[in-house]
Amino acid sequence: MRSILQFLRQARQLHLQFLAGTLQQPPIYVLGNPSADLDSIISAILYSYCANNRLPTTTPRPHIPLLNLPTLHAGPELYRLRPEFVTALWLSTNSPALPDEGFQNSSESAGNLLREHIITTADFAQNLKDQSRQKLNVDVTLVDWNALPERIGKNKGSLPGILSNITFHVVGCIDHHVDEDFISSTSQIQPLIIQPGPGSCASLITNEMHERGFWGVDCSAEIAQLAKLALAPILIDTSNLTAEGKVTDVDVRAVDLLRSRAGGDQWMEGFYEEILSAKQNSLDRLTLHEVLDRDYKEWAEVAQSSGRSITLGFCSSVKPIRWIIEKAGSPQEFLDGMRSFGTSKEVDVVVVMTSFTSSKGDFSRELFISVIGDHGVAVEGIEAFVAHAASHLGLTEWTALDGETVDVSDEEIRSTLDRDKGPWSALWVQKETKASRKQLAPLLREAVSKI
């Protein structure tokens, strides 16, 4: 059995051989959602490793993890923008480290390793260009999402932008979000698991592959490494199994299994805290645009009354809104920068959701919504969402919860960001902290579509 790094290195070589036309059997790429967060990245690697040359059951094929980062190549920039992933990979593969496989959790060392072991969609596009390939058909398994953004036909779609010339044929899916009605069940779709509820997609993958006999009772160093890597997103997304409303039996079963395969709990001291710290502190090195883009998803809905398409962009942050404003420079600079971000994404509405620990030690959420430009239909849709969901989400007047002493006052932030004239925007504290983007996005999308 190969180690994680051996598998990733070989997967990248198979990818290049496939594009060069020298691979006898076409691979199945495993692609996470566009936010490319820790769960999406590790779910792609975990599923690829477990399914590689094991699935489909009748004709097993190579599996290649593909990180959904269209503007980011594997290397030092990936280390800078996703340090929590690199930290999880480093902790998993360095305890124990196998011969000749150690690397340092630093920009230079990790950057070089990432370049040789990881493929992003930006890398894929560059590889296509190097091979002078114009169009390509690719089989793909989706993890941590269940619909491609551009639908071509039954179980077929593409990624906008640099990979729009690739037709992806969906052959499998494991996801914990609401079903987007994109994948039609056929005998060729294997597996097909769309189960909202679990805190982490990695939990679903872990349990599904256990049912397929993958984990067995093997406690080799290679399996221990993989189990540790799989634990990282589950623990992060469930706050170490303490997040009320996000932890399900699926997550608990997965953690129990992975801990047993990882060799007990002795190694876990500080594991969760170190990865969480890397995630939280990563924003310090980012620009405002990068903070908004770091965990970003978008959807387009068609308003029933006008037939007009409205695109909604959702940004998630582990820092409070006042911290983001401080990074921007002032409330007005944040508003201008956020609208510039929305314009660059060609969206009609930008939603910023924050989640953090308050100065009192409580898990807290804030919600900011802004319409980009003078878009009356979008405003009508957002106001319908507020009227319907404000009570359910516990939306109340915003006041700072982070306890930081800053030059800008709460009143200045409210007066700048919370207004119904000019381009419409509003800011709230969200008292219902169980409602993450998985719950809020469908509510907002439904309200907009019904206008």
Side-chain angles (χ1 to χ4, degrees):
M1 183 168 287
R2 287 166 294 176
S3 68
I4 296 172
L5 295 181
Q6 287 170 339
F7 166 73
L8 292 174
R9 190 161 54 246
Q10 184 184 54
R12 184 174 178 276
Q13 293 168 353
L14 291 174
H15 161 72
L16 296 175
Q17 292 172 21
F18 171 62
L19 296 187
T22 60
L23 193 64
Q24 291 184 345
Q25 189 178 33
I28 296 173
Y29 287 86
V30 182
L31 182 67
N33 70 52
S35 72
D37 60 0
L38 189 67
D39 198 23
S40 277
I41 291 175
I42 291 182
S43 288
I45 293 173
L46 173 65
Y47 181 83
S48 297
Y49 187 106
C50 296
N52 187 57
N53 291 323
R54 294 184 179 89
L55 291 176
T57 53
T58 53
T59 55
R61 293 162 60 188
H63 284 65
I64 298 174
L66 178 62
L67 276 56
N68 201 344
L69 293 164
T71 63
L72 189 62
H73 294 281
E77 277 296 278
L78 179 56
Y79 170 83
R80 183 176 74 88
L81 293 174
R82 297 295 188 276
E84 70 276 20
F85 161 60
V86 180
T87 298
L89 184 64
W90 176 69
L91 289 172
S92 302
T93 59
N94 280 268
S95 56
L98 298 176
D100 303 321
E101 289 206 342
F103 70 97
Q104 299 299 313
N105 192 9
S106 65
S107 178
E108 182 178 0
S109 179
N112 290 333
L113 178 128
L114 293 169
R115 191 180 291 114
E116 297 171 354
H117 292 76
I118 296 296
I119 311 158
T120 70
T121 49
D123 295 324
F124 201 131
Q126 184 60 53
N127 299 149
L128 278 175
K129 184 178 179 180
D130 294 342
Q131 292 287 343
S132 299
R133 301 288 294 270
Q134 299 301 317
K135 293 184 177 295
L136 192 65
N137 292 318
V138 170
D139 288 341
V140 65
T141 290
L142 302 180
V143 293
D144 206 21
W145 63 332
N146 61 76
L148 292 166
E150 293 185 354
R151 305 186 182 198
I152 297 174
K154 184 177 181 180
N155 300 332
K156 295 180 183 179
S158 66
L159 299 176
I162 58 175
L163 287 183
S164 58
N165 58 337
I166 293 182
T167 298
F168 289 97
H169 300 250
V170 177
V171 298
C173 177
I174 299 183
D175 184 34
H176 64 146
H177 295 90
V178 172
D179 193 343
E180 299 282 343
D181 296 321
F182 170 69
I183 301 174
S184 301
S185 179
T186 70
S187 59
Q188 284 75 41
I189 306 296
Q190 182 187 148
L192 178 54
I193 300 171
I194 301 176
Q195 182 180 337
S200 171
C201 182
S203 297
L204 285 172
I205 294 171
T206 296
N207 292 329
E208 170 65 13
M209 301 315 289
H210 179 55
E211 290 180 9
R212 291 177 178 269
F214 172 79
W215 294 101
V217 294
D218 189 354
C219 291
S220 65
E222 290 82 2
I223 287 294
Q225 285 188 350
L226 186 67
K228 291 172 188 176
L229 186 67
L231 273 167
I234 304 174
L235 298 181
I236 291 297
D237 283 2
T238 65
S239 299
N240 207 14
L241 293 183
T242 66
E244 186 179 354
K246 294 189 72 174
V247 182
T248 68
D249 290 344
V250 172
D251 301 298
V252 174
R253 286 199 307 271
V255 168
D256 288 344
L257 171 66
L258 294 171
R259 279 176 169 165
S260 69
R261 298 305 184 269
D265 295 341
Q266 299 85 351
W267 59 274
M268 288 190 65
E269 184 176 354
F271 179 79
Y272 164 75
E273 288 78 9
E274 193 162 351
I275 298 170
L276 179 64
S277 176
K279 179 179 180 179
Q280 293 175 331
N281 295 333
S282 66
L283 299 186
D284 294 335
R285 301 190 291 269
L286 307 186
T287 65
L288 173 62
H289 185 104
E290 289 171 338
V291 168
L292 297 173
D293 198 38
R294 189 181 186 280
D295 189 351
Y296 173 82
K297 293 180 181 178
E298 66 179 52
W299 289 272
E301 299 294 335
V302 177
Q304 289 180 0
S305 60
S306 64
R308 182 169 179 178
S309 178
I310 301 173
T311 305
L312 310 167
F314 292 79
C315 311
S316 294
S317 170
V318 293
K319 294 287 190 178
I321 198 75
R322 195 162 61 162
W323 182 95
I324 305 175
I325 289 171
E326 285 288 299
K327 176 171 279 289
S330 70
Q332 188 60 50
E333 287 174 298
F334 163 75
L335 193 61
D336 293 341
M338 186 276 308
R339 286 177 175 154
S340 174
F341 172 81
T343 300
S344 72
K345 292 289 189 180
E346 299 182 343
V347 300
D348 302 300
V349 177
V350 172
V351 181
V352 180
M353 304 182 67
T354 71
S355 57
F356 58 96
T357 301
S358 73
S359 58
K360 295 181 179 180
D362 299 323
F363 180 70
S364 305
R365 289 190 184 275
E366 300 161 314
L367 177 64
F368 174 68
I369 303 178
S370 179
V371 175
I372 306 302
D374 186 14
H375 195 323
V377 178
V379 172
E380 189 178 351
I382 301 304
E383 289 180 338
F385 158 77
V386 174
H388 174 71
S391 177
H392 172 67
L393 296 173
L395 300 183
T396 61
E397 183 182 57
W398 181 86
T399 185
L401 301 175
D402 50 295
E404 296 292 332
T405 301
V406 295
D407 294 333
V408 61
S409 68
D410 287 10
E411 179 55 38
E412 182 182 353
I413 292 174
R414 281 193 295 267
S415 64
T416 304
L417 303 187
D418 200 350
R419 54 189 178 184
D420 57 9
K421 294 184 179 179
W424 187 98
S425 63
L427 174 65
W428 302 272
V429 168
Q430 181 184 315
K431 294 290 189 180
E432 180 47 76
T433 57
K434 296 178 185 178
S436 66
R437 182 167 55 192
K438 281 196 300 182
Q439 289 76 39
L440 189 145
L443 294 173
L444 184 52
R445 293 171 61 193
E446 181 181 16
V448 167
S449 68
K450 289 183 176 180
I451 292 301

